[in-house]
Amino acid sequence: MEQKLAMPVRNLGSSGLAVSAIGLGGMPLSLNARPSEAEGIATIHAALEQGITLLDTADAYCLDDSEKGHNERLFAKALKNHPDIFVATKGGLIRPEGRWETDGRPEHLRKACEDSLRALGVSTITLYQFHRPDPKVPLAESLGAIADLQREGKIAHVGLSNVTIDQLEAAKHILKVVSVQNRMNVFDRSSMDVLKRCEERGIAFIPYSPLNGAAQAGNIGNHETIARIADNHGASAQQIALAWLLQLSPVMIPIPGARRITSIMNSAQAVNITLSSEEINELNQIA
């Protein structure tokens, strides 16, 4: 087993689990321009070496439905000798011909969860997240199916993704939510209201696209304010963007994606940066 570096931990909501303050988002390892399987596994192992203990995946992280579960299977191969790593997966999206579509039908979610169990090679999924509410299916029906799976022991903890405050509040009458995964980064604070509600209820907030999405992550340094602050700290612009998220809220657990070893090694070092109140105020003005 690789030697892990020390990394601060944060609570995964009320789950009783403590995970690394920064996780790894697996999506870039399975979509277009993805690395080879060997390179992908090496990137995952590099994350573990940095002390990362939370890996985020989904059954829909694949090119299309013909290879559903690609990212989950990749994680399973990489984690054969790492039982201490927490894997969070998601269900509720499908990839017909490469499109992203919702499917929140109870029968789909049951099959998706059982397929994810097989792909990950586990008997219980640590954190199962409803990927996106389906406008064609009542939220209570979708969440009721997930609650049934949890009662059957197939899911340990439940998270929601791409939800509003109203949907988060409705969910509490059906099951216990330990995490929310909505988009948030220094350029996009559209889920600030959801973040505040998570803080009030002790729910972890796992921002996806913490570096503004895979297509834009490399361009963060083009922003003058971020570039200047990064230069002041001798850090990368990406590290500054992640440090801003970490200091924004104690329930925040960013999950930057990575295709290469160098990318996740760079992101993990954001935990060592402390921004001044003046720098935070400057960064707050960007969104």
Side-chain angles (χ1 to χ4, degrees), residues 23-28 31 56 61 90 100 129 131-132 161-162 180-191 205-218 220 226 238 241-242 244-245 252-258 267:
L24 170 66
M27 187 168 70
L31 299 190
D56 181 83
Y61 291 168
K90 295 180 284 291
W100 296 88
Q129 304 160 99
H131 210 147
R132 184 183 293 273
S161 184
N162 295 294
V180 165
Q181 186 172 148
N182 280 13
R183 181 183 175 93
M184 184 175 288
N185 56 65
V186 71
F187 300 100
D188 183 351
R189 292 191 290 165
S190 56
S191 285
F205 190 94
I206 305 174
Y208 71 81
S209 295
L211 298 176
N212 204 28
Q216 297 297 324
I220 290 178
I226 299 176
Q238 291 74 23
L242 292 171
W244 175 81
L245 281 169
M252 190 80 72
I253 306 173
I255 48 168
S267 292

Side-chain angles (χ1 to χ4, degrees), residues 24-25 29 35-50 52 55 74-75 78 257-265:
L24 170 66
L29 297 174
S36 67
E37 180 178 285
E39 292 170 325
I41 289 174
T43 298
I44 295 168
H45 287 170
L48 306 188
E49 291 169 7
Q50 296 300 306
I52 288 175
L55 305 184
L74 182 67
F75 275 7
R259 291 189 183 92
R260 299 181 299 276
I261 290 173
T262 53
S263 296
I264 193 57
M265 290 181 66

Side-chain angles (χ1 to χ4, degrees), residues 116-126 154:
S116 289
L117 286 166
R118 286 189 287 271
L120 291 168
V122 297
S123 58
T124 302
I125 294 170
T126 301
K154 296 175 180 178

Side-chain angles (χ1 to χ4, degrees), residues 200-238:
E200 294 167 0
R201 291 181 49 191
I203 295 172
F205 190 94
I206 305 174
Y208 71 81
S209 295
L211 298 176
N212 204 28
Q216 297 297 324
N219 300 325
I220 290 178
N222 294 339
H223 194 283
E224 182 181 352
T225 299
I226 299 176
R228 174 170 44 80
I229 294 174
D231 187 60
N232 290 342
H233 285 268
S236 70
Q238 291 74 23

Side-chain angles (χ1 to χ4, degrees), residues 94-115:
I94 53 176
R95 302 297 312 283
E97 298 178 346
R99 300 188 303 276
W100 296 88
E101 296 181 2
T102 56
D103 191 342
R105 294 173 300 143
E107 58 268 31
H108 169 76
L109 290 172
R110 173 167 290 277
K111 184 177 187 305
C113 177
E114 292 172 348
D115 287 346

Side-chain angles (χ1 to χ4, degrees), residues 67-173:
E67 58 169 26
K68 176 185 173 183
H70 178 276
N71 200 243
E72 294 172 321
R73 291 189 294 274
L74 182 67
F75 275 7
K77 287 183 179 181
L79 298 176
K80 281 185 177 179
N81 299 315
H82 301 275
D84 54 332
I85 302 303
F86 301 106
V87 176
T89 193
K90 295 180 284 291
L93 289 185
I94 53 176
R95 302 297 312 283
E97 298 178 346
R99 300 188 303 276
W100 296 88
E101 296 181 2
T102 56
D103 191 342
R105 294 173 300 143
E107 58 268 31
H108 169 76
L109 290 172
R110 173 167 290 277
K111 184 177 187 305
C113 177
E114 292 172 348
D115 287 346
S116 289
L117 286 166
R118 286 189 287 271
L120 291 168
V122 297
S123 58
T124 302
I125 294 170
T126 301
L127 176 64
Y128 194 76
Q129 304 160 99
F130 184 33
H131 210 147
R132 184 183 293 273
D134 186 343
K136 305 182 297 297
V137 181
L139 181 64
E141 291 186 15
S142 299
L143 296 186
I146 293 174
D148 288 342
L149 290 162
Q150 187 177 33
R151 282 189 287 270
E152 294 167 18
K154 296 175 180 178
I155 296 169
H157 304 286
V158 177
L160 303 179
S161 184
N162 295 294
V163 291
T164 64
I165 282 184
D166 288 345
Q167 291 167 333
L168 179 58
E169 289 303 299
K172 72 181 181 182
H173 301 294

